[in-house]
Amino acid sequence: MAALKLPHSPRLIHGRQSLVPFPASTMLFLKPPSSPLSNYSFATSSGFLTRTLALFSPGIVVCKNSSLRGVWGNQSRIRSASVQHVAEELMEDQSKYSLVSGDSIRQRFLDFYASRGHKILPSASLVPDDPTVLLTIAGMLPFKPIFLGKIPRQVPRATTAQRCIRTNDVENVGRTARHHTFFEMLGNFSFGDYFKKEAIQWSWELSTKEFQLPPERLWISVYEDDDEAFEIWHKEVGVPVDHIKRMGADDNFWMSGATGPCGPCSEIYYDFHPERGTADVDLGDDTRFIEFYNLVFMEYNKKDDGTLEPLKQKNIDTGLGLERMARILQKVPNNYETDLIYPIIEKASALANISYPLADEQKKLKLKVVGDHLRAIVYLISDGVLPSNIGRGYVVRRLIRRVVRAGRSLGIKGERRDNLEGAVLPIIAEKVIELSTHIDPDVKIKAPRILEELKKEELNFVQTLERGETLLEKMLADASSNAENSGTVPCLSGKDAFLLYDTFGFPVELTTEIAEEQGVTVDMNGFDIEMETQRRLSRAAHNVVKLAVEDGTNLTNNINKTEFVGYNTLSTQAVVESLMVNGSPVIQVSEGNDIEVLLNKTPFYAESGGQIGDHGFLYVTGGEKQQTAVVEIKDVQKSLGDLFIHKGTIKEGVLEVGREVEAAVDAKLRQRAKVHHTATHLLQAALKKLISQEISQAGSLVAFDRLRFDFNYGHALTDTQLEDIEQLINGWIEASTSLKTKVMPLNDAKEAGAIAMFGEKYGEQVRVVEVPGVSMELCGGTHVSNTSEIRVFKIISEQGIASGVRRIEAVAGEAFIEYINVRESQMKNLCSMLKVKAEEVTTRVEKLLEELRMSRTEVANLRTKAAKYKALMIANKAFEVGTSQKIRVLVESLDDVDADSLKAAAENLIDTLQDPAAVILGSCPDEGKVSLVAAFTPAVVDLGIQAGKFIGPIAKLCGGGGGGRPNFAQAGGRKPENLPSALEKAREDIISILSEKTS
């Protein structure tokens, strides 16, 4: 058999050099199936050897079972001593390749900066603690409060591998080599510590020494006026002038918003084609360059008038795209073919029975979409973002629908295994979870819930797709009918096409293809307008991190953080540090004013962790301890880090800055909060013990009158389950267990099994609240000393609040007594009204409901009889239309007849007038309501006139719509004043149509 000779020196593959230089003697021979090659599981598992060999020859594909497949019409395998030699070479080079794996690049970056005094911090959640953005879209976002000066820095310099999500350019995913929805941003940050010189020198050392990028392939961009950065790059680092480009503010001046911190930036680009020379270079040319490292020199504050003032604390904010660096070091043509994403693509390819290296560009695009989007989906769900129609949930839902559409178009079919019921996404997502170890270890812990959510959402969407197909058929039929009536070319509106795309997941290409088959065009201009509108709104909502140096910052420059003493005492002497009225600082405030008070220390708990702020009083005493001022506190909030803002009203006297006050918490309300907070911990423990260990908190409220606990779970709890939960918790309460609280390092707490509370951020030292043998949580809230203080626990409601999220509300302690007293009072009132005993209330209510049902049925029957009588009275108003065939027509109003009775009247009239006949009736049953009905006999329908299509345009005149069968249709509206003219229009149209059909 003829041999396939491979190149003797490194080849350019997809415009880059191969990682595997094959020796001159290397030959591959086709042969029948035989034993697989050995010793290269590492290379094949990563997809590395697969792609390298396939790119050398389009007829060779390495398979997941460690065999090589020929693709000339059969499944022949390939074997050769030379191939064995290649595999052995790969194994020898394994350690070298492992250095450029995505996980290795991430760790090498972090270690590089850790060795230079940076603290390695974990990635923040994809759900930011920032109301200005939906998701974490940048590596610097978790440090925004530090950059603003709102909270003090914990360390002078830090380094992170931050998980990020951006969906503003979702349509570009797979079309370019670098666009992603989910990506990791490696960053090093300086908070008033080092600045340009160190940032530039270290970025160059990392790139050329640590990652060994050839210096001649690196290009630098600087802001056009930043001479300092230019000089550092050229004179101190040694970058040639012809490799440094000055660029304008649009490219190289970073701004967080209209005002706030800003500064010039400098970027490092990798050159894939240095042979093109240095003349007329455009760093924006994606075919030649990729920007992989961005250095932001945050040194100015932009004021409202547009002027720049130097920041007192100059900061460094950098970002190196992990996927981009992996592409460069692994020498693959795009980010998707790195080991960070390609294994996911391989999984999807296998399900679609497609060879990625041999696939056409359209199939590759869809496989890239699957690989990219599933990463984003898995990590978002892991961070508690579940599919919904609003906010972050809509981002997840939209990405899932894009993946489902892509998968279906590739022919991926679900396997009915592991209770997947035909769902595909969970199968591919298993690969994402497998790759998550070094990105976010929590993903594997949450895997069952992630896979369940994917399965549920996918199956629901498939049903939606099928409904979309039905809707498309109706839209095309309406377009054809309208065109026939108006004598124009049938055309589906851009708005309808976009509705199918956005709501039902129909790609516009599929809509166009189906429409063309039925002779209908699609208004693509209108579709593009709708699409651009959505993109514009998406960009505005998702892609800006707003920073602003707020006026309030200056107010607190000289105020230390508030010392909280409320764990140990409910009252203390404190000094008024600052007063504010309507957000403005004041020195003195008199009786009757609402104020905000900052104290040097406080026993008041500030709202956080779901627990509301304490209530109480501030007392100012004069000589002989006489009260001179009283302030009632109704809320306490945290601001600017650890400042406690006491919000209240001056009930007596005058309060001044600098005065000493006695701060006293309302002990009864504090006790209620403590009871409900500890009960919340017991509730979560009970849910995990009795329902599922996968349950996790999705939100909470600890109030004085109740507690609320939101949790991730896909099913409603049964009455029996709720009773079991109550019984277990009340047993824990009765056990009179003393709680333990202690402060320890965060890592020690996690290793001990402590559960983190939803939405909370933690420092290096954390407070752990433990109910021995029951629960252990990281929590800064207030709690009872012993479970017996809770007294009793009662669930008052359980309901779904979003897809996959349930909510339990409950009461405990004193709030339970109030709850019972209120219901007892209500029961007494019911007994009095119904004149029965408490135990007889249910029977009496059931009897009353049955009597009511029978009365309503009787009323409905009387209305129908009345409507039929009115119909008989107007039957003689029917008139005939047509020449070749006489058709009896009746168009009338029946005043205030309800919709059901109107339907009965139309059916009665059709029977009375007999075939052929057409009846159109209207009424105004209630204020602001219109009812319409059209009934046609078989002979009228045979003429090609359909009741559903006829009544729709008439209903629109009344501000509504409707439809139905060809022979019978109902519609409604909201403009009764238009009914007379609408019926007149119906009269004209039916006469015109019937006259034409019977002429």
Side-chain angles (χ1 to χ4, degrees):
M1 183 175 288
L4 300 175
K5 187 140 185 162
L6 296 178
H8 65 276
S9 59
R11 285 281 304 272
L12 286 176
I13 300 175
H14 287 260
R16 88 278 190 247
Q17 203 174 49
S18 167
L19 276 175
V20 187
F22 287 81
S25 61
T26 299
M27 311 281 284
L28 297 179
F29 294 88
L30 295 175
K31 73 172 292 294
S34 64
S35 60
L37 293 172
S38 62
N39 297 325
Y40 68 103
S41 59
F42 155 77
T44 56
S45 67
S46 68
F48 178 68
L49 178 59
T50 306
R51 287 167 284 143
T52 304
L53 290 177
L55 291 169
F56 271 122
S57 174
I60 303 173
V61 181
V62 181
C63 306
K64 288 294 289 183
N65 63 356
S66 299
S67 64
L68 297 176
R69 290 185 185 174
V71 289
W72 288 286
N74 60 30
Q75 297 298 310
S76 298
R77 297 184 181 179
I78 300 170
R79 172 187 156 194
S80 163
S82 298
V83 172
Q84 180 75 23
H85 175 63
V86 172
E88 289 172 354
E89 279 191 355
L90 282 175
M91 291 305 298
E92 291 172 3
D93 201 45
Q94 175 175 345
S95 60
K96 178 179 178 182
Y97 178 70
S98 66
L99 289 176
V100 299
S101 70
D103 288 340
S104 173
I105 295 168
R106 183 192 304 108
Q107 194 59 50
R108 289 167 69 188
F109 179 96
L110 296 174
D111 290 344
F112 178 88
Y113 281 104
S115 69
R116 287 154 180 79
H118 292 66
K119 176 73 173 179
I120 299 178
L121 298 177
S123 171
S125 169
L126 290 172
V127 180
D129 186 20
D130 185 332
T132 67
V133 288
L134 275 179
L135 298 164
T136 299
I137 61 174
M140 56 74 62
L141 189 63
F143 303 111
K144 174 179 169 181
I146 299 176
F147 288 138
L148 285 176
K150 286 188 171 184
I151 63 174
R153 68 183 190 183
Q154 301 297 317
V155 293
R157 52 181 76 170
T159 182
T160 63
Q162 177 60 49
R163 293 172 288 117
C164 300
I165 292 282
R166 289 185 188 172
T167 59
N168 56 302
D169 290 323
V170 68
E171 296 297 332
N172 287 328
V173 169
R175 299 183 185 277
T176 71
R178 58 181 175 82
H179 277 93
H180 298 291
T181 54
F182 175 88
F183 59 95
E184 288 186 80
M185 190 60 73
L186 310 180
N188 55 288
F189 305 90
S190 168
F191 312 112
D193 189 14
Y194 64 84
F195 200 50
K196 285 185 188 179
K197 181 178 178 180
E198 294 87 347
I200 289 173
Q201 289 178 334
W202 287 337
S203 67
W204 185 259
E205 184 181 350
L206 176 80
S207 301
T208 60
K209 296 295 196 311
E210 177 65 33
F211 292 135
Q212 299 183 12
L213 299 181
E216 65 273 13
R217 282 182 176 250
L218 302 184
W219 287 67
I220 307 299
S221 71
V222 298
Y223 178 53
E224 57 191 355
D225 295 333
D226 192 358
D227 295 332
E228 180 186 4
F230 189 98
E231 292 298 313
I232 295 172
W233 280 115
H234 176 52
K235 292 185 177 180
E236 299 195 32
V237 175
V239 179
V241 172
D242 63 3
H243 273 57
I244 306 176
K245 299 281 288 185
R246 291 183 183 268
M247 302 177 74
D250 289 345
D251 297 302
N252 279 69
F253 194 90
W254 182 85
M255 295 185 62
S256 60
T259 61
C262 58
C265 60
S266 185
E267 297 156 330
I268 308 179
Y269 292 78
Y270 184 82
D271 185 356
F272 292 108
H273 296 285
E275 72 277 4
R276 296 183 186 176
T278 59
D280 300 322
V281 165
D282 176 12
L283 294 180
D285 180 1
D286 283 349
T287 66
R288 177 175 178 179
F289 297 102
I290 186 170
E291 174 219 329
F292 66 88
Y293 208 164
N294 183 24
L295 317 177
V296 176
F297 311 124
M298 204 179 299
E299 56 183 316
Y300 300 112
N301 175 47
K302 187 175 182 181
K303 301 170 70 174
D304 290 335
D305 60 4
T307 60
L308 301 177
E309 63 178 5
L311 287 172
K312 295 178 182 179
Q313 176 179 292
K314 296 181 179 180
N315 305 307
I316 290 292
D317 158 28
T318 79
L320 183 149
L322 174 60
E323 292 78 9
R324 299 185 183 196
M325 181 58 80
R327 172 194 173 188
I328 295 169
L329 294 179
Q330 294 175 19
K331 299 184 180 180
V332 291
N334 54 67
N335 297 1
Y336 302 95
E337 296 186 39
T338 66
D339 67 339
L340 295 165
I341 304 175
Y342 193 76
I344 308 167
I345 292 176
E346 280 188 308
K347 184 74 172 181
S349 299
L351 290 174
N353 198 26
I354 292 172
S355 166
Y356 177 85
L358 305 180
D360 59 41
E361 290 306 312
Q362 194 61 28
K363 288 181 179 177
K364 284 184 176 180
L365 167 64
K366 292 172 181 176
L367 286 168
K368 290 172 185 176
V369 167
V370 173
D372 170 88
H373 286 11
L374 265 176
R375 290 212 305 165
I377 293 163
V378 165
Y379 287 101
L380 281 168
I381 294 177
S382 177
D383 278 355
V385 183
L386 300 178
S388 70
N389 288 328
I390 58 173
R392 301 180 185 103
Y394 180 68
V395 172
V396 178
R397 174 157 288 169
R398 186 182 179 206
L399 292 177
I400 289 176
R401 291 183 171 189
R402 283 176 57 84
V403 174
V404 172
R405 292 201 312 263
R408 285 166 69 92
S409 66
L410 288 167
I412 297 178
K413 296 181 180 179
E415 302 176 12
R416 292 190 173 274
R417 66 171 179 82
D418 300 334
N419 297 319
L420 290 180
E421 300 173 22
V424 173
L425 268 57
I427 302 173
I428 309 174
E430 288 173 350
K431 178 60 67 174
V432 182
I433 294 169
E434 179 185 324
L435 296 171
S436 70
T437 302
H438 300 291
I439 303 173
D440 181 4
D442 287 345
V443 171
K444 288 188 176 180
I445 298 173
K446 300 173 182 176
R449 180 166 60 87
I450 294 170
L451 298 177
E452 180 63 26
E453 283 297 329
L454 280 172
K455 168 190 163 184
K456 181 171 61 176
E457 184 69 13
E458 178 183 354
L459 295 180
N460 287 342
F461 179 51
V462 168
Q463 294 179 348
T464 301
L465 272 175
E466 293 170 353
R467 291 196 298 270
E469 291 171 350
T470 302
L471 179 60
L472 175 57
E473 290 180 7
K474 182 179 184 303
M475 287 177 172
L476 294 177
D478 289 345
S480 298
S481 176
N482 293 336
E484 182 181 347
N485 293 335
S486 60
T488 57
V489 177
C491 180
L492 184 69
S493 72
K495 190 171 184 179
D496 284 344
F498 185 76
L499 174 68
L500 289 165
Y501 168 84
D502 194 48
T503 303
F504 295 94
F506 261 65
V508 70
E509 298 84 1
L510 179 59
T511 299
T512 302
E513 181 180 333
I514 296 174
E516 287 177 351
E517 291 174 355
Q518 300 189 30
V520 179
T521 61
V522 177
D523 176 16
M524 289 306 300
N525 287 334
F527 176 85
D528 290 340
I529 290 172
E530 296 289 335
M531 177 68 79
E532 183 56 34
T533 299
Q534 187 198 60
R535 285 174 178 162
R536 188 168 58 250
L537 293 173
S538 177
R539 290 190 191 104
H542 298 292
N543 203 39
V544 177
V545 180
K546 291 184 63 179
L547 296 180
V549 179
E550 301 174 5
D551 295 338
T553 305
N554 296 328
L555 171 67
T556 61
N557 279 343
N558 298 316
I559 298 178
N560 295 321
K561 68 178 184 180
T562 309
E563 179 187 357
F564 177 62
V565 297
Y567 291 136
N568 303 315
T569 182
L570 295 182
S571 66
T572 190
Q573 295 298 122
V575 176
V576 177
E577 298 275 352
S578 177
L579 295 173
M580 287 177 286
V581 175
N582 297 324
S584 299
V586 294
I587 301 299
Q588 185 183 81
V589 188
S590 59
E591 182 177 324
N593 286 289
D594 293 333
I595 60 168
E596 295 179 346
V597 184
L598 276 68
L599 305 174
N600 66 330
K601 62 180 176 179
T602 183
F604 285 84
Y605 182 83
E607 181 176 326
S608 61
Q611 181 176 333
I612 65 174
D614 279 328
H615 291 191
F617 292 89
L618 303 180
Y619 300 105
V620 180
T621 57
E624 298 182 359
K625 296 186 178 181
Q626 290 186 346
Q627 291 182 1
T628 60
V630 178
V631 182
E632 184 178 10
I633 302 300
K634 285 295 187 182
D635 187 22
V636 185
Q637 296 286 331
K638 279 187 180 179
S639 179
L640 303 175
D642 291 319
L643 292 178
F644 286 45
I645 310 298
H646 304 73
K647 300 183 178 184
T649 304
I650 298 184
K651 295 296 185 180
E652 299 177 21
V654 175
L655 186 62
E656 299 174 338
V657 173
R659 290 300 298 268
E660 187 175 273
V661 300
E662 180 188 355
V665 173
D666 186 317
K668 290 184 178 180
L669 294 182
R670 165 66 78 84
Q671 181 64 19
R672 283 175 171 239
K674 289 164 62 177
V675 163
H676 281 145
H677 206 150
T678 305
T680 302
H681 285 209
L682 298 181
L683 174 57
Q684 178 164 224
L687 287 167
K688 285 179 172 291
K689 184 178 179 66
L690 297 179
I691 307 302
S692 170
Q693 281 294 326
E694 301 303 322
I695 281 177
S696 61
Q697 182 177 336
S700 69
L701 172 68
V702 176
F704 304 133
D705 62 336
R706 71 191 188 285
L707 69 88
R708 186 179 71 213
F709 186 77
D710 301 339
F711 58 99
N712 296 304
Y713 192 62
H715 310 287
L717 302 187
T718 65
D719 290 342
T720 300
Q721 287 174 322
L722 294 174
E723 290 172 3
D724 290 343
I725 291 169
E726 283 184 355
Q727 185 175 355
L728 179 59
I729 293 173
N730 283 313
W732 287 334
I733 293 170
E734 188 178 354
S736 299
T737 304
S738 295
L739 275 68
K740 297 180 180 179
T741 60
K742 52 188 172 183
V743 176
M744 64 175 67
L746 177 60
N747 289 335
D748 291 353
K750 288 185 176 180
E751 289 177 4
I755 299 173
M757 297 294 284
F758 177 83
E760 283 295 285
K761 290 188 174 181
Y762 303 98
E764 293 187 9
Q765 295 291 315
V766 295
R767 183 170 181 261
V768 177
V769 177
E770 180 183 9
V771 182
V774 178
S775 77
M776 180 188 294
E777 298 191 18
L778 307 183
C779 183
T782 62
H783 290 269
V784 298
S785 300
N786 188 287
T787 57
S788 62
E789 295 178 41
I790 301 173
R791 297 160 65 187
V792 66
F793 174 89
K794 174 67 179 176
I795 294 174
I796 58 177
S797 70
E798 190 276 340
Q799 61 183 330
I801 59 170
S803 175
V805 181
R806 309 296 301 179
R807 169 174 290 174
I808 286 178
E809 291 196 350
V811 290
E814 196 66 30
F816 169 79
I817 304 300
E818 285 186 356
Y819 173 82
I820 293 299
N821 287 340
V822 169
R823 271 129 191 89
E824 185 177 3
S825 175
Q826 292 172 339
M827 179 59 75
K828 287 180 178 178
N829 289 337
L830 277 174
C831 291
S832 176
M833 291 169 59
L834 299 175
K835 301 188 183 328
V836 294
K837 297 177 181 179
E839 59 270 23
E840 299 171 348
V841 166
T842 301
T843 303
R844 179 59 176 152
V845 169
E846 288 175 348
K847 184 176 181 181
L848 289 174
L849 288 174
E850 177 62 20
E851 292 174 357
L852 178 61
R853 186 191 65 79
M854 293 177 62
S855 297
R856 285 176 173 173
T857 301
E858 186 176 349
V859 169
N861 291 336
L862 289 173
R863 285 177 175 173
T864 299
K865 289 179 180 179
K868 289 180 178 180
Y869 178 75
K870 289 183 179 180
L872 292 174
M873 297 296 293
I874 63 171
N876 58 3
K877 295 184 178 181
F879 55 90
E880 293 184 341
V881 176
T883 53
S884 63
Q885 183 180 11
K886 299 294 184 181
I887 299 173
R888 288 169 290 282
V889 176
L890 181 64
V891 182
E892 289 293 333
S893 171
L894 289 186
D895 301 327
D896 59 353
V897 171
D898 65 89
D900 290 338
S901 299
L902 194 68
K903 174 185 176 183
E907 292 171 340
N908 190 63
L909 282 167
I910 283 293
D911 291 339
T912 301
L913 297 177
Q914 298 185 344
D915 198 10
V919 174
I920 297 108
L921 302 177
S923 68
C924 300
D926 292 299
E927 185 177 351
K929 287 187 178 181
V930 173
S931 291
L932 291 164
V933 64
F936 298 162
T937 60
V940 174
V941 174
D942 289 343
L943 293 174
I945 309 171
Q946 296 187 10
K949 292 183 178 181
F950 179 85
I951 202 66
I954 304 303
K956 287 182 180 179
L957 298 176
C958 296
R965 304 187 306 275
N967 67 315
F968 196 92
Q970 287 181 282
R974 299 179 301 277
K975 298 179 179 179
E977 65 274 13
N978 293 352
L979 180 60
S981 59
L983 289 175
E984 185 58 35
K985 172 66 174 172
R987 183 188 302 272
E988 294 173 359
D989 287 353
I990 195 66
I991 291 174
S992 174
I993 294 170
L994 291 175
S995 297
E996 180 182 347
K997 297 287 186 180
T998 59
S999 61

